[in-house]
Amino acid sequence: GASAGLGAELAGAFASRNFDLVLVARRRGKLDALAQELRTRYGVRAIAFSTDLSVSDAPRALFDALNEQSVRIDILVNNAGVICEGDFVDVPLEEELRLLQTNVVALTALTRLFLVPMKERGAGRILNVASIAAFMPAPRIAIYAATKAYVLSLSEALSEELRDAGITVTTLCPGFTETPMLQASVLGRSLPQALVMSANAVAEEGCSACLAGRAVYVPGIV
């Protein structure tokens, strides 16, 4: 989920800490531009993979492609996500299923796939991006909130399972964040600016929480 918004800022946060990057999203042009920007600004290596995680076999294809290139993933950042806004029965079923595939199935598959080599090495970190919506049911974004509750529950359980394996799992739970997703929503257009964090601030705090091995982190004063 690196091509825009929080994903792009997370990529920058890790690059500023001298991590090489694999950038994944659907929009190849934006990925290539971001990769070049990060190479130039921070002197890190950055490669781009154009992948649509709403397609069922995309996680496995990505994992296999990286293995073929002998690319080792030390930190997995699951940031890709979509949202459906509206009453549950009014949102087209196809959109709801696409949301589940991206927010739940792809995240689960990527976590499972990349966790195996991490366990073999006895080291690794996973950063799963959820939301404060993970803590409460949210009418009109009911499925989105439910997917984030899933991410939080899964990640907390894995954090405990992996306590002695040399691997940390961090759940980042941002509140309202200045991203294209929020801007496109009805709620986002009506929020007081004081309640909205910048994507850069959320990414910096999330990156630091991941590297510190925090299990759950909610950024911002609000």
Side-chain angles (χ1 to χ4, degrees):
S3 61
L6 183 56
E9 295 294 345
L10 281 166
F14 281 98
S16 71
R17 292 159 173 81
N18 205 37
F19 286 96
D20 297 324
L21 302 167
V22 176
L23 306 172
V24 181
R26 288 175 298 167
R27 292 174 287 187
R28 184 56 187 257
K30 288 197 170 188
L31 279 183
D32 287 338
L34 178 62
Q36 184 57 51
E37 176 190 343
L38 296 176
R39 291 188 206 108
T40 301
R41 180 179 298 181
Y42 299 111
V44 298
R45 291 180 296 169
I47 57 177
F49 274 84
S50 178
T51 301
D52 184 354
L53 291 175
S54 69
V55 178
S56 61
D57 61 353
R60 170 65 72 175
L62 173 63
F63 179 76
D64 290 345
L66 292 175
N67 275 343
E68 288 171 8
Q69 297 187 26
S70 299
V71 176
R72 189 182 80 186
I73 300 300
D74 296 309
I75 301 176
L76 172 66
V77 180
N78 281 312
N79 172 75
V82 295
I83 190 170
C84 295
E85 192 171 13
D87 287 349
F88 175 75
V89 296
D90 294 334
V91 176
L93 178 60
E94 293 75 13
E95 288 187 29
E96 294 173 331
L97 295 179
R98 175 173 166 267
L99 184 152
L100 290 170
Q101 181 68 40
T102 304
N103 294 16
V104 170
V105 178
L107 177 142
T108 304
L110 289 168
T111 299
R112 174 66 173 76
L113 288 165
F114 285 102
L115 187 54
V116 172
M118 288 182 185
K119 286 199 74 174
E120 292 171 353
R121 295 192 299 269
R125 298 189 186 278
I126 298 172
L127 175 61
N128 287 333
V129 178
S131 165
I132 57 168
F135 299 105
M136 68 196 89
R140 295 190 57 78
I141 54 168
I143 296 182
Y144 174 82
T147 65
K148 295 306 182 179
Y150 172 90
V151 172
L152 176 63
S153 179
L154 174 69
S155 302
E156 286 192 281
L158 293 181
S159 178
E160 184 63 27
E161 283 186 19
L162 299 167
R163 178 184 295 275
D164 299 318
I167 300 166
T168 62
V169 181
T170 299
T171 315
L172 177 63
C173 298
F176 301 116
T177 305
E178 187 64 33
T179 63
M181 181 184 291
L182 183 68
Q183 293 166 357
S185 71
V186 173
L187 177 62
R189 294 190 291 270
S190 62
L191 279 172
Q193 195 59 37
L195 296 180
V196 181
M197 285 189 71
S198 73
N200 177 263
V202 172
E204 285 293 326
E205 292 190 31
C207 179
S208 295
C210 173
L211 297 178
R214 298 279 296 272
V216 179
Y217 187 76
V218 182
I221 295 172
V222 175

